[in-house]
Amino acid sequence: MLSEQLRKQLRDASGSTPKDRTAQGPQQNQSPEDMPRAVTAAERAQAAAFIHQLSPPIALAFNNMGAIAANQHQCPACVTYFQRAGEWDPKQEGLDRNLGRAAFLCNQYEQAVPPLSRYLEQHSEDVAVRSALGLSLFRLGEYEKVVAVLGPMQ
């Protein structure tokens, strides 16, 4: 997936060692200027700062793609996009709600419970999330937890 490729390229630029780079051996017809060189600490720091700077907009893009996929009822895709958003920025506002609701709507109840639970801890007034969490727990046979989650709705 694109996210994994980009992350690998950025990681390679920021954290590979000369040994890693030369393990493949020299390329034929390679000039000394083209030979791999050691990455300096400053270059690693610059690459890490670049990754840190890119993380929120990449997460937002994946979150938006997940919302689009959810609106088009593309269940496996929307859950995957929201998961990718979480890999880039796990603290993104609303991500747990989006991921949990998408997993719930796709009948992936085990995947729905953790993000819905986290979101409900911070937003106890959200009836839609409370309902989705309660129904997910019910589908998983966690009946005592269902009563605890849905009890405040009485």
Side-chain angles (χ1 to χ4, degrees), residues 101 104 116 120 126-137 149-150 153:
R101 297 241 332 129
F104 169 75
L116 290 174
L120 194 60
D126 193 324
V127 176
V129 168
R130 186 175 293 281
S131 298
L133 177 58
L135 289 171
S136 295
L137 291 165
V149 168
L150 296 181
M153 292 176 61

Side-chain angles (χ1 to χ4, degrees), residues 54-113:
L54 285 180
S55 292
I58 291 173
L60 182 59
F62 275 114
N63 190 49
N64 291 340
M65 289 188 296
I68 291 167
N71 285 335
Q72 296 174 350
H73 306 288
Q74 298 174 350
C75 274
C78 67
V79 172
T80 300
Y81 285 133
F82 291 132
Q83 289 171 335
R84 296 286 184 254
E87 291 171 7
W88 283 96
D89 186 4
K91 297 193 189 281
Q92 184 181 41
E93 181 65 32
L95 178 63
D96 279 337
R97 185 181 202 281
N98 292 345
L99 175 58
R101 297 241 332 129
F104 169 75
L105 293 172
C106 296
N107 301 322
Q108 297 176 3
Y109 304 114
E110 285 185 35
Q111 290 185 11
V113 170

Side-chain angles (χ1 to χ4, degrees), residues 25-49:
Q27 302 291 325
Q28 291 182 353
N29 302 325
Q30 199 172 32
S31 69
E33 295 84 29
D34 294 332
M35 295 293 289
R37 64 174 180 76
V39 177
T40 67
E43 290 170 327
R44 278 193 210 131
Q46 186 178 16

Side-chain angles (χ1 to χ4, degrees), residues 1-49:
M1 179 157 260
L2 178 61
S3 175
E4 294 166 6
Q5 291 172 350
L6 178 60
R7 192 180 295 266
K8 183 182 181 317
Q9 288 174 349
L10 291 172
R11 185 174 42 245
D12 287 349
S14 66
S16 63
T17 64
K19 181 179 177 184
D20 295 337
R21 291 180 176 193
T22 57
Q24 299 169 347
Q27 302 291 325
Q28 291 182 353
N29 302 325
Q30 199 172 32
S31 69
E33 295 84 29
D34 294 332
M35 295 293 289
R37 64 174 180 76
V39 177
T40 67
E43 290 170 327
R44 278 193 210 131
Q46 186 178 16

